[in-house]
Structure formats: structure tokens, C-alpha cells
Amino acid sequence: MPGRHSFPDHGPAAGAVCATPVLDAQLGLGEGRFIDLQVRFVYRVDEPFAVVMEFPGSDPAVGTWEFSRDLLWKGLRRPTGMGDVRILPPCRCHGRRGLRITLRGDDGTATIDVPVEPVESWLRERSFGLVPRGRESGLIDWDTELSRLAAGR
């Protein structure tokens, strides 16, 4: 949701956005069957803690998924996540070379294998270039956010 946070007068521009190129991924259908799927990750400075996973060229009903940028980073190295989003790093012993992202929703579960190198490079060079890890909270006007929470918005 653009413009959700109030930003201080310093730091990256509120509208700054970076995205991966469209990546060729695979959607698991079960029993070792997969179909090709395209994904893209988007990072917006005005949502400094999150990344959005989009599915370009898919039916709009597929929607998007928003989850923690830190979760994606940690998932490159170790199993992480709980609840609706879980991420597994590549696993040589099982012959899996991609980053495995499991998404759970009301209608079921989807498992998507995404190539590791472009995601890791994008996070390191582009996303962390806009807002370094650990600096996200400095972009949020906490008084405004707390007022919105207190008002029930």
C-alpha cells in the first residue's frame, strides 16, 4: 500500500522501488510434477520490511504475496518461516537447486522453486542498496504508526 508510512526528511526517496527481472520458476503439482511459472520480487522503500512476490502473466486472481524481506534473505541459507510462508534453501542431498517457497492460503498450498542466484544478487545489490539490513525501522514514523494502531486503522 503506497504511502502508508511517514518518512523522515533523510534517507532514500519514499517512492524508490527495485524489482528482480522476471524469473523462470516452477510450481509444484505434487508427486514430483512441476509446471513452469514466472515470478518477480519487488521491494519498495515505503514498505521497508517487506518484499512482494508477483506472478507476471498469470491470471489476476492468482494475486501477489507479501512477506518479510528478512525471511527471504534467511531462507537462502537455512529453513525458515512459519504459518503462511516457509522458505527452504537449496538442498544438494535431495538434488534441489532452487529456493523453495511454500505459500499457504485459504484455498490450499503452493510450492514454488525459484532460482537462487538472481534472488540473492537482487537482495544484496539492489534491495539492501536502497535500505541496508537493520535500517528499515529508521524509515518509519513510529508515532504516526502507533496513532493509526490506536485509532483502529
Side-chain angles (χ1 to χ4, degrees), residues 130-144:
L130 283 175
V131 178
R133 284 185 77 212
R135 302 267 175 95
E136 299 91 347
S137 64
L139 295 176
I140 298 174
D141 179 340
W142 290 105
D143 291 334
T144 300

Side-chain angles (χ1 to χ4, degrees), residues 17-121:
V17 176
C18 67
T20 64
V22 174
L23 304 173
D24 292 325
Q26 293 188 315
L27 173 65
L29 300 176
E31 301 178 24
R33 295 180 313 141
F34 291 86
I35 60 170
D36 293 334
L37 176 73
Q38 292 186 321
V39 300
R40 174 177 45 223
F41 293 93
V42 179
Y43 180 74
R44 300 178 56 91
V45 171
D46 57 1
E47 294 288 338
F49 289 103
V51 294
V52 175
M53 186 174 176
E54 300 178 336
F55 303 94
S58 297
D59 182 324
V62 172
T64 61
W65 282 79
E66 183 174 313
F67 50 90
S68 164
R69 178 175 74 156
D70 199 46
L71 180 79
L72 184 59
W73 178 252
K74 288 177 181 176
L76 290 166
R77 285 156 184 74
R78 67 177 190 272
T80 190
M82 58 187 341
D84 293 343
V85 180
R86 297 176 188 214
I87 302 176
L88 297 172
C91 181
R92 289 187 204 145
C93 61
H94 290 99
R96 190 170 34 78
R97 298 177 59 193
L99 185 66
R100 178 157 289 172
I101 301 173
T102 300
L103 307 170
R104 293 189 174 134
D106 294 338
D107 297 329
T109 300
T111 300
I112 302 165
D113 285 353
V114 179
V116 173
E117 291 80 14
V119 173
E120 185 171 14
S121 293

